[in-house]
Amino acid sequence: MQNEYTETGQVTLVGVKEALQQGKILLERARKLGAPVIHIVHHGEPGKGFYDPLGEGGKINELVSPLEDEPVVAKKFVSAFIGTNLEEEIKKTNRKELIVIGFMTHNCVSTLVRAAVEQYGLKCTVVADCTATRDLYLGNGQVVEAKHVQEGNLTGLRDVFASVVNTVDDIKDN
């Protein structure tokens, strides 16, 4: 949930403010319950534009910023498992189910969930209100609105790969 996707970043997502607020609520609940939290950040080339780890856009948004003891996995690809220590960080938690939130639903969230399930045998729950995406453009100049991109991707995940809940309140404290 990086600043790159907010109004100050290069790709503002539809519903990003609301998703960050809901993400903050869920993160606070997880911490209160002592649940493990792993953050993932996409890093581009330092000093060069998109996902710049030295720039404001490459930082995790302050509403959901990690605590000192929470691991941050830096990735360079859409999949957070490629070239990272994410698998090891998940194993350290001794958990077999992930609650997944973040950006962009149609890329990073979807890719993470599919890999977690198919390659690592994990169960995933995606909290829809804690995700966001953007309009996508078809080759013929038409636009698929973010609402439809979001709904289509969450529906695809729900069909085979994950439990998808609508709100933070749908996550039980157990």
Side-chain angles (χ1 to χ4, degrees):
M1 298 181 109
Q2 290 170 258
N3 290 325
E4 202 69 84
Y5 299 118
T6 67
E7 63 281 345
T8 62
Q10 295 186 51
V11 180
T12 305
L13 303 182
V14 174
V16 70
K17 287 181 183 179
E18 296 83 1
L20 283 165
Q21 288 293 334
Q22 292 304 305
K24 176 183 178 186
I25 292 167
L26 184 61
L27 189 56
E28 288 171 350
R29 277 182 53 200
R31 289 170 175 157
K32 184 177 178 183
L33 293 168
V37 174
I38 301 169
H39 300 265
I40 300 169
V41 62
H42 199 141
H43 280 174
E45 197 171 334
K48 296 195 177 176
F50 208 51
Y51 301 127
D52 178 0
L54 304 175
E56 191 60 31
K59 294 179 184 173
I60 295 174
N61 187 273
E62 64 184 15
L63 291 176
V64 292
S65 60
L67 297 179
E68 201 171 291
D69 64 336
E70 294 173 347
V72 177
V73 174
K75 65 178 188 151
K76 295 203 176 283
F77 298 97
V78 173
S79 175
F81 287 102
I82 296 174
T84 72
N85 65 335
L86 180 58
E87 180 184 11
E88 292 79 22
E89 291 295 341
I90 292 170
K91 283 181 180 178
K92 288 179 193 176
T93 71
N94 293 315
R95 304 279 177 118
K96 297 291 182 196
E97 184 170 351
L98 307 178
I99 296 176
V100 179
I101 67 173
F103 307 142
M104 291 185 284
T105 310
H106 73 279
N107 274 338
C108 301
V109 172
S110 179
T111 301
L112 172 73
V113 168
R114 292 167 189 266
V117 171
E118 289 188 322
Q119 293 178 277
Y120 300 98
L122 299 166
K123 292 175 70 176
C124 293
T125 299
V126 177
V127 183
D129 280 357
C130 299
T131 65
T133 195
R134 62 183 171 85
D135 292 347
L136 296 180
Y137 298 88
L138 300 174
N140 62 5
Q142 292 182 316
V143 176
V144 179
E145 293 177 5
K147 174 185 176 189
H148 301 299
V149 175
Q150 180 83 342
E151 290 171 349
N153 278 275
L154 292 174
T155 300
L157 291 175
R158 181 183 288 121
D159 185 44
V160 175
F161 297 98
S163 171
V164 177
V165 298
N166 293 322
T167 71
V168 170
D169 292 334
D170 295 325
I171 299 292
K172 304 300 176 219
D173 288 348
N174 55 11

